[in-house]
Each structure stands twice: as structure tokens, then as C-alpha cells.
Amino acid sequence: MGVAAYVQHKVDAFTNTKYGPVILQGLTWLLLILFSWISCWSVFGDGCLPGSNLFGILISCVCGKILGMLLGLVRIPPLIGMIAAGILFRNLPGKASLGDDINNDWSSTLRTGAFVILLLRAGLGLKINILRKNKVLVACLSVLPCVIEVIIVGSVSKGLLVGIALCH
């Protein structure tokens, strides 16, 4: 038996165990994170060291992914774990808060992008044939909130503007 066949046999035996695939997946993610940080560091230099925007973003993404994977194991959507990690990082007390490392402009842009991706995924998950069967319901759900908002804002505005001369 050659060396390559021996190594392949050991890897196959390890992946057939109960926790082998989980350990290998964790090792893969660890190497991916390490090489991502090394790539960022080689391109941006000191801009990717701890205390910078990129390092804070990388750590928050990694921890969000880890928390999402852990919650996925107990059948909770991984997105909940990612959102929880973001909330924790922004609101942890003390100087160790990683959310403080990320610039507010960067944070706002990233949150907007994440929201857009979330809406796109939700929209792409809709079944068009089911929407066509429920035309009245879809029309009501799309038009009614806007109409109600217009009525409420118009009523409140009219009540607040009574007695105010808008023209001289």
C-alpha cells in the first residue's frame, strides 16, 4: 500500500465517523478565514490589522456565520444567528466591542446591502403561479397599506395645519 492510498484510507475512515464531516467542515472554514485575512492583509497592509474597519468586518462576518451555523444545527434559521451576532457586536459594553472598529459609513452601507440581499432572496423565493391564483389578495396586500397610510397622514396633517395660514 502506497503513501497516497494509506492517506486516502485514513481520510475515508475519518469522514465515515459521526463527527468527522463536522470537524472537516470546521477545519475548512478555519482555513478559509485564515487565508481570507492573509489575503486582505497582503493587499491592504495595516488597514486589515486588529482595530481597523476590515478586521472588524471580517470578525463580525465570521462570528455571524459561526452563530448562524450553530443555530442551524438546532433547526433555527441561520439568518437569526447572523442578526444576533451583529446586534451583540454593536452593543457589547466596553472597549472590546468589535462594532466600534467599523466606521459608521461602512456599517450603514453594509446594512443597506444586506437588507437588499434579504429582500432579493425573499422576492426570488415567491412562487409566481401561487401569486397568480390569489390576485385579489396580492392586490389588497400591495395597495391597502399605501392607501391607509395616505389617509392617516392626510388626516393628521389636516388636523395639525388647522388655523395656520399657508399663503400670505
Side-chain angles (χ1 to χ4, degrees):
M1 178 182 283
V3 174
Y6 176 75
V7 170
Q8 183 65 40
H9 172 71
K10 290 295 182 183
V11 169
D12 289 342
F14 182 70
T15 56
N16 290 332
T17 62
K18 183 176 182 181
Y19 296 110
V22 175
I23 293 171
L24 288 177
Q25 186 179 19
L27 183 63
T28 303
W29 277 105
L30 183 67
L31 289 173
L32 180 69
I33 293 163
L34 177 68
F35 289 133
S36 297
W37 182 75
I38 290 172
S39 298
C40 284
W41 183 57
S42 67
V43 172
F44 298 109
D46 291 343
C48 199
L49 293 177
S52 66
N53 279 331
L54 291 175
F55 187 77
I57 290 169
L58 180 68
I59 293 298
S60 64
C61 287
V62 167
C63 291
K65 183 68 175 172
I66 289 170
L67 196 55
M69 288 171 67
L70 290 175
L71 287 180
L73 293 174
V74 292
R75 307 232 186 254
I76 296 175
L79 183 63
I80 302 295
M82 293 176 191
I83 291 171
I87 291 171
L88 285 175
F89 276 141
R90 188 49 110 176
N91 297 316
L92 283 176
K95 288 190 142 193
S97 177
L98 288 172
D100 294 339
D101 292 341
I102 302 172
N103 187 349
N104 286 336
D105 293 336
W106 286 44
S107 176
S108 175
T109 303
L110 289 172
R111 279 185 276 134
T112 302
F115 185 62
V116 167
I117 290 171
L118 179 69
L119 290 178
L120 281 172
R121 288 184 66 188
L124 291 174
L126 294 174
K127 308 270 189 288
I128 192 70
N129 52 359
I130 294 175
L131 292 176
R132 284 188 181 141
K133 289 180 185 175
N134 299 316
K135 291 178 185 175
V136 176
L137 179 65
V138 170
C140 288
L141 288 175
S142 61
V143 173
L144 244 60
C146 296
V147 171
I148 292 172
E149 181 181 0
V150 166
I151 291 170
I152 291 174
V153 169
S155 302
V156 170
S157 299
K158 183 165 174 57
L160 291 175
L161 295 176
V162 171
I164 297 176
L166 296 178
C167 298
H168 292 282

